[in-house]
């Protein structure tokens, strides 16, 4: 019965706190963008002319089908991260796509129209080398997979293994490539570096070795990219040092050494230090490849060659040319070559592969983005037009992972910014006011210059406001008359302005590839992008907002700490987050690696906050470093503290700034690395507001919160990973004094630990290895019934340790990431946003994570609105704020307050990006979406008329009575 | 209230049944998760079923997650699936799909490769309620992501017990004196007579008292209705 009461209480409380989405709100203020990552393999479906499918496999272990007309995803399959999901090869034949994944561990065949798996086979272990489709008599039936020491052949329709053979001498020979020309044989090529090439011939039917030969090739170190098979079974290799091409007839017993052709005889030369690349094409896997091939001699020089009667003939020299690719449609094979046109554009032309003649009217102009990178991959989709000429479309991938799909004569059909598949960090910046608003603001900033001018100015600005309002009304009226579909709010960087509730912001996203994006949070439109070259990819970036938009006419300013690719040192990149322009401010040089950055509340005369950078010799660099700043820093130096974490030595140390900007070690906490290692350290967010100092208890007394702004939460994990002995530790350390405020250990627990540190609480999630489940634990700190010093908090003067309450709960799902909502003033109740591996984002009321949840319900706890304790946390479908718009591999959730207290802006990023708003306490400060204007006005009018009528009736009655 | 009690009875009975079944099944804990597997890898197999929906409509968005994203599998075009390369241990296998809900299942794999599936119970982790293996996971329907809007209609308004409670007495108060002309002394006499006819007891209170009695009765009834309405309102929220 008690259990039932608890259940009932919980369900009742749920109805109060649920923050769910209504069906009519779908897409109203939220959007999702799906990404795939850097394309490694891309194949166009040439099976039928009308097919729009483009199959891609990426470095993010994603295999997807794109609509080549729009760039949208038909379907997408996200495999496991890391080497186990790594896609090694993608082959396509007809409706089926064969994928080798996990270093040759899995062979999968996908039905490409539906997006479902057709079959899946587990292969033997061994590092993957190559895979190829194998055809017999013009019909592709098998797929061959080459491993380091074995080769196997599989049936294409069922995946069943036909045969598997060990490769001879696999401990000395490095087998690297595979070739089949449809003549019943499979060739495997291996190399013994700087010695010889080994060629093994297998019979397709039973895997019998038909022939095995080794050919002298002392110059060769690797087969890949320097060798290819052309024509009817001729191995072609290129070598940079001897400046020669080598050919070898595969099926001839006589030829025992490779024939050398000096490049000089063809008037060619390989650029020094460049590894030449050979590209050939085999349009049909059941037939031998063409005898034409590309030879790349330098980064911007390709040449189309042909092997004819044992002679190599140059067909066409493309100098300069960036990229070249073959494509086949029907029986016709063409070559597309991209060459530079001018500084900002490239032209792509089509040439017939067998003659090298240019096709007329096939130029596509590709405009390079001045803020982007160079193109580095070209994928060509050729098709036959009605008049039997060859048409084509191209997909260009650039260094900054932009995919551009072009068609003649240079129209961009679609564009994808795949760098956004790997967002590292982000910030949300307020948009600036409109021109008129800014002018009004500017009026207050200026010094007074007499009474009359000020009055006049006031009046004129009021007039401007009136004008703007009238224009706005006129626009509203004008738009209302037009059909709804034609009214499209074109988001433009020039028309951007803050809305009345500051709900629309600029999302500044930093990606792992070093590309920065400015995205409008309302629509998801990319407003600016900037590719930073010379950045070490996948390094740590730190984005700091130094000046917000609040200081007109000073532009907002963001600073990004980046790592230079060449020097490996830190570097500051200062930019305007609204327009993405690089700022002209001179930045200090950072000669040593930066350990810690610190944004101080000290403001210089231009309203930019001061950034302190601490290098590995504990020297401090300030940015900006004007005299004014240095003066201010000297005054406040004694109250500036910072901490450094050295997880390799398990050391946490606190420093103080001296007046001469040197530093002084004041405390040190050593967590022995033999037992446990520091995993993460988090302070509180600087822009967080706490509205109430305490909590009112059931008996009307107040329990004051311990609101220490200097508190650090330190998470440690045991070095012993045995499930009986592993543990997770949490330390709450005061960042100024180094005092350990609290310490807790979860035994039989292990990471990964996700945690949120806010207000007076820390919530962390760990894996309970004994019971094999995820558990939430919440720590709340209270000062007690009395506040020691209610006006100001000082870490140096807090004699009483806080009371710590803790409670743990079972969370019935795995967790990817954790974040808490944030609002303007902190009045709204908090929710935790939990990113789940399923892609959903759960909005969990903090109310459920309250260590004061009672086990036995009492009158007082009911008064306080505490939910009775239940070990298992509920998960309800309604709490998923992103409904079916799942975010794959969610890695981070960014929350930002809006101008409305009830509303928190949420951006979840991972492989996808999802932006929405949440209302943890519902929309208490604005009218609800479904506010019934009709009802309220009809009731009002009804009452009004009722009073009028009754008044009239009463008058008549009075009159009648008077007459009586 | 009686219905409530009956519900409770059912619940208690269910619980008893549950306890009984728990007694019968051997409560052996699954194999320890951390047991060092000797490198041998196994395969978790099963089939996902969404009743009434063609498989090609949902397989492209579904994934099989084993213990979070530790092991990932994909659904074949016929709804069956296999997750390869899973070492021995105990895992929660979940089918995630943005449109359909599937209940997770715990799969135990011994070091010899014996498999069994059971219901996920995070509180009593060693409890074994067997599920079929190879897994047969049937969708329990589409996700209900959205809350229902509180709609407003005249019938809702009129049928509200509060409104009924207000309107009916109003009718009685306003209409009754109109229908029966109390000013007419003859009528009054007649009425009193009829009253006496109805109640042979001469000490019975007069009409007004009768009315209050009626009202109090009505309000107590309405009070019950009121409670119901509040709970309805709560549910709507």
């Amino acid at each position: 019965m008690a259990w039932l009461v608890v259940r009932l209480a919980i369900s009742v409380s749920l109805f109060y706190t649920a923050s769910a989405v209504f069906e009519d709100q779908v897409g109203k203020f939220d959007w999702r963008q799906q990404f795939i990552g850097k394309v490694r393999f891309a194949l166009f479906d040439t099976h039928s002319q009308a097919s729009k499918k483009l199959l891609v496999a990426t470095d993010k272990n994603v295999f997807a089908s794109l609509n080549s007309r729009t760039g949208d995803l038909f379907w997408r399959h996200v495999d496991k991260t890391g080497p186990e999901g790594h896609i090694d090869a993608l082959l396509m034949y007809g409706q089926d796509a064969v994928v080798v994944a996990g270093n040759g561990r899995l062979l999968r065949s996908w039905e490409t129209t539906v997006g479902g798996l057709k079959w899946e086979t587990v292969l033997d272990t061994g590092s993957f080398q190559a895979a190829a489709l194998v055809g017999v008599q013009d019909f592709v039936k098998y797929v061959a997979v080459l491993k380091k020491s074995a080769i196997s052949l599989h049936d294409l329709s069922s995946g069943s293994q036909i045969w598997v053979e060990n490769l001879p001498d696999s401990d000395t020979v490095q087998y690297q490539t595979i070739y089949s020309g449809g003549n019943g044989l499979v060739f495997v090529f291996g190399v013994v570096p700087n010695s010889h090439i080994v060629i093994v011939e297998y019979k397709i039917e039973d895997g019998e070795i038909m022939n095995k030969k080794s050919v002298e090739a002392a110059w060769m170190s690797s087969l890949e990219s320097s060798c290819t098979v052309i024509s009817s079974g001729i191995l072609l290799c290129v070598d940079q040092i001897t400046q020669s091409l080598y050919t070898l007839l595969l099926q001839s017993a006589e030829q025992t050494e490779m024939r050398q052709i000096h490049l000089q005889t063809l008037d060619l030369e390989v650029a020094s230090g460049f590894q030449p690349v050979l590209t050939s094409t085999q349009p049909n896997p059941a037939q031998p490849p063409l005898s034409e091939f590309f030879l790349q001699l330098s980064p911007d020089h390709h040449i189309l060659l042909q092997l004819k009667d044992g002679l190599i003939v140059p067909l066409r020299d493309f100098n300069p040319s960036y990229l070249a690719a073959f494509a086949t449609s029907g029986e016709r094979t063409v070559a597309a070559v991209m060459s530079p046109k001018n500084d900002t554009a490239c032209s792509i032309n089509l040439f017939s592969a067998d003659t090298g003649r240019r096709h007329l009217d096939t130029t596509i102009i590709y405009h390079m983005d001045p803020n982007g990178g160079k193109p580095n991959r070209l994928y060509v989709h050729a098709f036959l037009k009605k008049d039997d000429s060859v048409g084509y479309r191209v997909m260009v991938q650039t260094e900054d992972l932009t995919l551009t799909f072009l068609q003649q004569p240079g129209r961009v059909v679609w564009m994808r910014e795949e760098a956004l598949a790997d967002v590292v960090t982000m910030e949300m910046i307020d948009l600036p006011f409109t021109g008129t608003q800014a002018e009004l603001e500017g009026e207050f900033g200026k010094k007074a210059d007499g009474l009359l001018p000020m009055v006049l100015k006031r009046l004129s600005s009021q007039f401007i406001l009136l004008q703007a309002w009238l224009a706005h009304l006129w626009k509203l009226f004008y738009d209302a008359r037009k059909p709804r579909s034609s009214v499209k709010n074109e988001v433009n960087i020039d028309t951007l302005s803050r809305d009345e509730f500051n709900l629309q912001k600029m999302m500044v996203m930093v990606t792992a590839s070093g590309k920065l994006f400015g995205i409008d949070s309302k629509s998801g439109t990319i407003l600016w992008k900037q590719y930073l070259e010379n950045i070490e990819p996948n390094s740590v970036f730190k984005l700091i907002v130094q000046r917000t938009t609040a200081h007109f006419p000073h532009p907002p300013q963001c600073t990004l700490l980046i790592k230079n690719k060449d020097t490996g040192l830190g570097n500051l990149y200062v930019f305007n987050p609204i327009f993405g322009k690089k700022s002209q401010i001179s930045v200090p040089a950072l000669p040593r690696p930066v350990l810690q950055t610190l944004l101080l509340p000290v403001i210089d005369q231009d309203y930019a906050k001061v950034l302190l950078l601490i290098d590995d010799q504990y020297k401090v660099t300030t940015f900006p470093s004007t005299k004014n700043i240095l003066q201010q820093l000297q005054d406040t130096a004694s109250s500036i503290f910072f901490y450094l974490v050295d997880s390799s030595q398990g050391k946490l140390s606190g420093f103080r700034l001296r007046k001469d900007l040197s530093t002084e070690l004041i405390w040190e906490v050593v967590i022995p690395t033999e037992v446990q290692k520091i995993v993460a350290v988090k302070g509180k967010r600087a822009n967080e507001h706490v509205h109430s100092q305490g909590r009112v208890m059931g008996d009307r007394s107040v329990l004051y919160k311990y609101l220490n702004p200097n508190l650090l939460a330190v998470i440690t994990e045991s070095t012993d990973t045995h499930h009986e002995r592993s543990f997770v530790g949490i330390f709450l350390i005061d960042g100024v004094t180094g005092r350990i405020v609290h310490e807790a250990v979860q035994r039989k627990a292990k990471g990964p630990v996700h945690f949120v540190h806010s207000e007076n609480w820390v919530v962390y999630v760990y894996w309970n290895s004994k019971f094999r489940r995820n558990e939430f634990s919440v720590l709340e700190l209270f000062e007690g019934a009395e506040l020691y010093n209610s006006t100001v908090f000082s870490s140096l003067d807090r004699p009483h340790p806080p009371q710590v309450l803790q409670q743990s709960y079972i969370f019935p799902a795995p967790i990817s990431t954790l974040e808490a909502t944030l609002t303007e003033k902190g009045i709204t109740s908090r929710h935790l946003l939990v990113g789940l591996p399923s892609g959903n984002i759960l909005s969990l009321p903090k109310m459920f994570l309250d260590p004061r949840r009672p086990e036995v319900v009492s009158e007082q706890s009911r008064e306080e609105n505490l939910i009775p304790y239940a070990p298992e946390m509920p998960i309800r479908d309604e709490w998923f704020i992103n409904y079916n718009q799942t975010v794959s591999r969610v890695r981070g959730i960014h929350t930002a307050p809006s101008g409305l207290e009830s509303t928190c802006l949420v951006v979840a990023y991972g492989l996808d990006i999802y932006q929405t708003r949440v209302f943890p306490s519902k929309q208490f400060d604005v009218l609800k979406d479904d506010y019934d204007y009709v009802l309220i006005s009809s009731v009002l009018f009804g009452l009004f008329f009722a009073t009028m009528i009754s008044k009239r009736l009463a008058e008549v009655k009075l009159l009648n009575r008077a007459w009586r | 209230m009686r219905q409530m009690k009956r519900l409770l009875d059912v619940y208690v009975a269910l619980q008893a049944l549950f306890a009984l079944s728990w007694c019968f099944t051997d409560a052996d804990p699954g194999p320890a998760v951390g047991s060092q597997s000797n490198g041998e890898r196994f395969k978790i197999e099963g089939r996902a079923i969404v009743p009434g929906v063609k498989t090609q409509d949902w397989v492209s968005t579904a994934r099989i997650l084993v213990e979070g994203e530790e092991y990932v599998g994909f659904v074949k075009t016929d709804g069956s699936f296999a997750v390869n390369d899973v070492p021995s241990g105990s895992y929660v296998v979940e089918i995630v799909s943005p449109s359909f809900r599937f209940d997770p299942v715990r799969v135990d794999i011994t070091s010899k490769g014996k498999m069994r599936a059971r219901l996920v119970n995070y509180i009593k982790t060693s409890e074994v309620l067997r599920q079929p293996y190879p897994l047969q996971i049937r969708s329990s329907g589409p996700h209900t992501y959205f809350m229902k809007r509180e709609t407003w209609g005249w019938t809702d308004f009129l049928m509200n017990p509060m409104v009924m409670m207000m309107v009916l007495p109003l009718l009685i108060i306003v209409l009754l004196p109109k229908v029966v002309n109390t000013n007419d002394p003859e009528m009054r006499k007649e009425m009193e007579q009829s009253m006496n006819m109805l109640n042979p007891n001469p000490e019975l209170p007069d009409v007004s008292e009768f009315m209050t009695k009626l009202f109090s009765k009505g309000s107590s009834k309405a009070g019950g209705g009121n409670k119901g309405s509040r709970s309805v309102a709560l549910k709507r929220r």
Side-chain angles (χ1 to χ4, degrees), chain A residues 419 422-427 508-517 541-543 560 562 575:
Chain A
D422 205 347
V423 174
V424 181
T425 179
M426 65 167 294
E427 280 292 340
V508 177
M509 298 194 124
V510 183
T511 61
S513 61
K515 197 168 186 185
L516 307 184
F517 289 90
F541 298 93
K542 180 122 186 179
L543 182 63
L560 184 70
I562 48 184
F575 63 101

Side-chain angles (χ1 to χ4, degrees), chain A residues 108-257:
Chain A
R108 291 191 180 120
S109 172
W110 296 91
E111 158 66 46
T112 55
T113 38
V114 175
L117 193 62
K118 230 175 133 189
W119 50 258
E120 183 180 55
T121 335
V122 186
L123 306 180
D124 296 330
T125 48
S127 78
F128 173 80
Q129 297 298 332
L133 292 172
V134 177
V136 189
Q137 288 150 1
D138 288 356
F139 195 70
V140 179
K141 268 172 137 173
Y142 309 105
V143 57
V145 180
L146 179 71
K147 298 280 192 84
K148 199 170 183 301
S149 59
I151 174 171
S152 57
L153 196 75
H154 299 266
D155 190 83
L156 204 55
S157 56
S158 68
S160 58
Q161 183 178 293
I162 310 286
W163 48 261
V164 59
E165 291 294 328
N166 282 326
L167 295 165
D169 311 322
S170 62
D171 44 344
T172 52
V173 184
Q174 296 173 11
Y175 290 97
Q176 285 172 340
T177 52
I178 196 166
Y179 159 75
S180 163
N183 51 0
L185 291 171
V186 178
F187 294 89
V188 174
F189 305 107
V191 64
V192 176
N194 305 319
S195 170
H196 60 274
I197 299 176
V198 178
I199 300 162
V200 190
E201 265 176 64
Y202 286 95
K203 209 166 127 187
I204 286 178
E205 283 77 34
D206 51 5
E208 187 192 335
I209 295 181
M210 301 299 284
N211 194 2
K212 176 177 178 286
K213 64 179 172 187
S214 62
V215 182
E216 282 301 310
W219 42 271
M220 178 170 282
S221 57
S222 167
L223 275 164
E224 273 170 307
S225 83
S226 66
C227 281
T228 185
V229 178
I230 55 163
S231 197
S232 49
I234 293 168
L235 182 69
L236 180 75
C237 293
V238 64
D239 178 45
Q240 182 218 339
I241 294 154
T242 53
Q243 296 270 348
S244 315
L245 287 169
Y246 296 88
T247 57
L248 176 74
L249 210 57
L250 289 176
Q251 279 170 299
S252 82
E254 306 95 74
Q255 197 183 353
T256 50
E257 63 180 35

Side-chain angles (χ1 to χ4, degrees), chain A residues 1 3-4 20-21 24 77-78 80 105 114 117 120 122 767 771-773 838 877 929-930 935, chain B residues 8 11 56 60 63 67 70 75-77 84-85 90 96 101 106 122 125 143-144 146-147 149 152:
Chain A
M1 185 69 196
W3 174 238
L4 198 73
V21 190
D24 51 283
H77 287 289
V78 182
K80 213 181 141 176
R105 180 70 178 152
V114 175
L117 193 62
E120 183 180 55
V122 186
W767 172 257
F771 292 110
R772 296 188 293 260
R773 63 194 181 197
S838 62
D877 282 355
D929 281 350
D930 62 338
L935 175 72
Chain B
L8 207 78
Y11 179 78
Q56 57 255 45
S60 66
R63 278 210 295 171
E67 214 63 65
E70 202 120 331
V75 188
K76 286 186 191 159
T77 39
N84 293 299
D85 282 346
S90 173
V96 293
R101 187 176 38 209
R106 187 176 279 282
Y122 286 107
T125 46
H143 284 289
T144 48
F146 303 111
M147 301 284 278
R149 280 269 188 217
W152 197 87

Side-chain angles (χ1 to χ4, degrees), chain A residues 475-536:
Chain A
K475 192 171 177 292
L476 270 186
F477 175 69
Y478 194 74
D479 283 351
R481 289 195 311 170
K482 279 196 277 185
R484 183 164 281 192
S485 56
S486 72
V487 184
K488 235 183 200 167
N489 292 6
E490 274 290 306
V491 186
N492 192 321
I493 202 154
D494 301 316
T495 59
L496 265 190
S497 68
R498 196 181 293 189
D499 59 336
E500 47 195 332
F501 295 131
N502 198 5
L503 290 166
Q504 188 179 4
K505 296 204 183 199
M506 176 68 83
M507 293 158 53
V508 177
M509 298 194 124
V510 183
T511 61
S513 61
K515 197 168 186 185
L516 307 184
F517 289 90
I519 300 175
D520 169 36
S521 77
K522 197 178 180 184
S523 60
T525 325
I526 296 170
L527 295 174
W528 58 263
K529 48 199 171 188
Q530 179 71 50
Y531 178 56
L532 305 178
E533 281 162 285
N534 308 323
I535 278 197
E536 196 172 282

Side-chain angles (χ1 to χ4, degrees), chain A residues 431-504:
Chain A
L431 291 175
F433 293 113
T434 55
T436 47
Q437 280 171 320
E439 197 149 308
L440 279 182
E441 287 282 307
E443 185 195 335
F444 299 110
K446 280 171 197 152
K447 291 273 176 287
D449 43 9
L451 192 65
L452 198 66
M454 273 185 64
V455 170
L456 283 178
K457 195 166 236 180
R458 183 77 268 206
L459 284 177
S460 72
S461 50
Q462 290 289 6
F463 180 70
I464 291 169
L465 267 189
L466 185 73
Q467 225 174 358
W469 185 66
L470 285 177
H472 175 71
L473 278 188
W474 172 246
K475 192 171 177 292
L476 270 186
F477 175 69
Y478 194 74
D479 283 351
R481 289 195 311 170
K482 279 196 277 185
R484 183 164 281 192
S485 56
S486 72
V487 184
K488 235 183 200 167
N489 292 6
E490 274 290 306
V491 186
N492 192 321
I493 202 154
D494 301 316
T495 59
L496 265 190
S497 68
R498 196 181 293 189
D499 59 336
E500 47 195 332
F501 295 131
N502 198 5
L503 290 166
Q504 188 179 4

Side-chain angles (χ1 to χ4, degrees), chain B residues 128-195:
Chain B
V128 179
L129 279 177
R130 284 259 190 175
Q131 295 283 98
Y133 187 89
L135 301 170
Q136 294 281 333
I137 304 179
R138 195 172 276 273
S139 166
S140 51
H143 284 289
T144 48
Y145 290 118
F146 303 111
M147 301 284 278
K148 277 237 172 65
R149 280 269 188 217
E150 224 170 304
T151 49
W152 197 87
W154 282 105
T155 46
D156 281 4
F157 179 73
L158 288 178
M159 286 317 183
N160 191 333
M162 289 283 272
V163 174
M164 301 264 271
M165 208 175 77
M166 267 167 62
V167 169
L168 276 175
L170 208 77
L171 284 177
I172 292 168
I173 291 166
V174 176
L175 293 182
L176 217 67
K178 288 257 162 103
V179 173
V180 189
N181 193 352
T182 42
N183 287 343
D184 191 5
E186 268 181 44
M187 198 68 185
R188 187 175 283 180
K189 206 176 245 173
E190 207 172 282
M191 226 168 72
E192 264 170 26
Q193 267 180 0
S194 66
M195 278 295 193

